[in-house]
Amino acid sequence: MKFYKIKIRLYNILFNFYFFLTSHTAYRKINGLSLYRIYRIKYPTYEKSGQAVHSSIIKLSTSLFIMVFTPYPNTDDKFENPSIVISKNGITFKEEKKHLNPLVPTPSIDHNDDPDFFITENKLYNIIYLETLRPDFQNLCLLRSYDRISWERTVLFTQKLHQNDNFMLSPTYVKKDETFLFFVNKKQNNMLQLEYVKGKDLFSIDFQNSNILIVQNLKYTPWHLSILTYSQGYIMLLTVISGDLRNGTYSLITAYSEDLISWKTNNKIILDNCYRSSGFIIDDTIYIYASKIFKFKNTRQKWKLCLYKIKLSDVFLSENEL
């Protein structure tokens, strides 16, 4: 009888230890990956191409990663409809429900683009994205859900494109004391600048009064962005263009800020041939989920999502560089 109790106790210890290991598999797996190396990740796209851009990811726990993106097969933007997938390890993603994606259909003209995924109070899941309806309108849309399955759509703001030269790219949400929405503003003369608007919440943002973002020492043209929060401030993953808009090269650089308003740029290129990227920070490591061009033999280049890790300290400039 005594031996039997010891056996049961040993079994419980082993079971609890196994549960601990498996519940932390995701953290241990991506944590063990090497720095400065590109890792392909697996994810389904609703049109079956596996080609995608504009990742926006949240690490909700050590065993739940949620990523929003848009398919981009052979650079065909009519498939750029927001899609959502989940993962237990940050490497292999799947739909939470079969045929869940796309979350919204292609509009009757032009295309959807540029989603940004975030969570607000009461565990409310949010996706902002652009419904681009050229030449007349551009809608900033909001999808909201409590279960990540059923989504409710709202138009937050409509820009009349023919009345002025403002065209929004890559809207990015950050909550501080107020709600901030950062974006790249494209002018008619193809000038691109980083701007932001703010309000008490998403529904009270003053879109008519945008502010130019102070970005020191930026040597490239901004294109897309995302912003990560950490204990001492904010990190911007900034996609920039070298050369002209049509034939230039997209690259990923970083910037950092303590107050969200004034930023210092590190112009060192982290990844080339790279579109909008997002990520999260664990300890002193930034996990970047990037949209990047991959070239395959005998085929045209394709946009794929990948994982790339850098040190948090890589973002900051030395005293000699300031």
Side-chain angles (χ1 to χ4, degrees), residues 290-305:
S291 318
K292 181 170 169 56
I293 290 177
F294 288 85
K295 296 180 180 179
F296 301 89
K297 289 183 179 179
N298 303 320
T299 63
R300 63 188 296 178
Q301 61 187 24
K302 298 178 180 180
W303 286 99
K304 298 274 189 176
L305 303 180

Side-chain angles (χ1 to χ4, degrees), residues 115-179:
D116 186 52
F117 176 51
F118 53 95
I119 302 174
T120 54
E121 65 283 347
N122 300 320
K123 297 183 180 179
L124 181 59
Y125 300 96
N126 299 261
I127 301 170
I128 51 174
Y129 70 97
L130 296 170
E131 184 182 53
T132 300
L133 306 172
R134 292 170 295 190
D136 296 324
F137 299 99
Q138 185 186 49
N139 290 325
L140 176 65
C141 302
L142 172 67
L143 296 175
R144 306 192 109 181
S145 174
Y146 283 104
D147 60 6
R148 303 193 297 270
I149 303 297
S150 300
W151 294 83
E152 181 180 331
R153 179 180 178 273
T154 303
V155 175
L156 289 175
F157 175 66
T158 297
Q159 181 72 65
K160 295 181 180 180
L161 298 177
H162 61 281
Q163 290 186 355
N164 56 51
D165 60 354
N166 294 319
F167 186 85
M168 183 181 288
L169 296 166
S170 192
T172 298
Y173 168 95
V174 181
K175 181 67 174 179
K176 196 183 174 188
D177 299 328
E178 297 178 280
T179 293

Side-chain angles (χ1 to χ4, degrees), residues 10 42 45 65 79 127 209 241 259 319:
L10 180 62
K42 298 179 180 180
T45 59
F65 302 76
F79 292 101
I127 301 170
N209 291 298
I241 305 173
D259 61 5
E319 290 186 4

Side-chain angles (χ1 to χ4, degrees), residues 1 3 50 65 98 125 128 135 155 157 181 190 283 288 322:
M1 189 67 176
F3 175 76
F65 302 76
K98 194 173 183 180
Y125 300 96
I128 51 174
V155 175
F157 175 66
L181 195 68
N190 279 339
D283 298 328
I288 301 172
L322 290 173

